[in-house]
Amino acid sequence: MKQTGSSICSDCLEWEKTSYQAVLEKNISLYSYEPFMQDYIARWKYRGDYVLGKVFEAEFRKLYHQHFQDSKYEVVPIPLSAERKADRGFNQAGELAAFTRAKQKDVLGRKHGEKQSKRSRLHRLTAENPFHLLSEPPKYAVLIDDIYTTGTTLRHAAQVLQENGTDFVAACTLIRG
């Protein structure tokens, strides 16, 4: 598993030119999405082998605490729709959020829709925001997700949080595509 080396990805630079430029302060990722990782994630996420996620626990916790040491931050896992969660049996972002051992706040809900992995890049970038607020959001949020592909999911979630009073939103993801 190769760790990422670049500080700013090309997607983030492109987002800075859009109306979403100020919604996400930064994203920190642990690994790059290479063939080995793609296979591993498919087994963990899509084939229901929940225990495979444990291999990431120590390094993901370390990454989170290196960048978000202050206890003012609360982790907000990217939710799955109820249908998707029932299908998979767990939410991988929720598992990663638990690894941080930071205060967690499940404040977002998600409409059911087509799987992100089945969407083209253009479809992801132009998709309607599927998130809605379930309860009062934290003032300082760190979104947790498994894979940063285009950044659309994180920016949609960040937008909902900011529109409802969150002052700072960053993200911590396991993998950057």
Side-chain angles (χ1 to χ4, degrees), residues 75-91:
V75 298
V76 177
I78 294 294
L80 296 175
S81 67
E83 295 88 343
R84 188 86 61 237
K85 187 172 181 182
D87 193 37
R88 286 194 191 149
F90 74 104
N91 178 0

Side-chain angles (χ1 to χ4, degrees), residues 119-170:
R119 293 180 172 184
S120 70
R121 178 177 177 76
L122 179 62
H123 191 213
R124 288 179 192 204
L125 292 171
T126 58
E128 181 181 317
N129 193 331
F131 298 107
H132 57 275
L133 203 62
L134 299 174
S135 61
E136 188 168 332
K139 285 292 180 193
Y140 301 92
V142 179
L143 294 166
I144 303 291
D145 205 5
D146 58 340
I147 304 170
Y148 179 110
T149 307
T150 64
T152 305
T153 298
L154 294 171
R155 282 173 176 77
H156 280 164
Q159 181 182 47
V160 169
L161 293 175
Q162 279 194 337
E163 287 174 349
N164 289 281
T166 300
D167 293 333
F168 174 93
V169 184

Side-chain angles (χ1 to χ4, degrees), residues 58-130:
E59 289 301 313
F60 193 76
R61 180 180 309 114
K62 182 178 171 184
L63 176 75
Y64 175 84
H65 288 285
Q66 281 175 340
H67 295 276
F68 305 104
Q69 300 170 13
D70 195 318
S71 63
K72 70 182 178 185
Y73 298 113
E74 295 182 60
V75 298
V76 177
I78 294 294
L80 296 175
S81 67
E83 295 88 343
R84 188 86 61 237
K85 187 172 181 182
D87 193 37
R88 286 194 191 149
F90 74 104
N91 178 0
Q92 68 282 353
E95 183 177 14
L96 292 168
F99 291 165
T100 69
R101 296 186 184 159
K103 186 174 180 185
Q104 183 172 326
K105 203 160 186 186
D106 296 315
V107 297
L108 294 173
R110 184 180 198 149
K111 288 187 272 183
H112 186 64
E114 183 181 17
K115 290 180 181 180
Q116 287 290 80
S117 61
K118 303 293 182 195
R119 293 180 172 184
S120 70
R121 178 177 177 76
L122 179 62
H123 191 213
R124 288 179 192 204
L125 292 171
T126 58
E128 181 181 317
N129 193 331

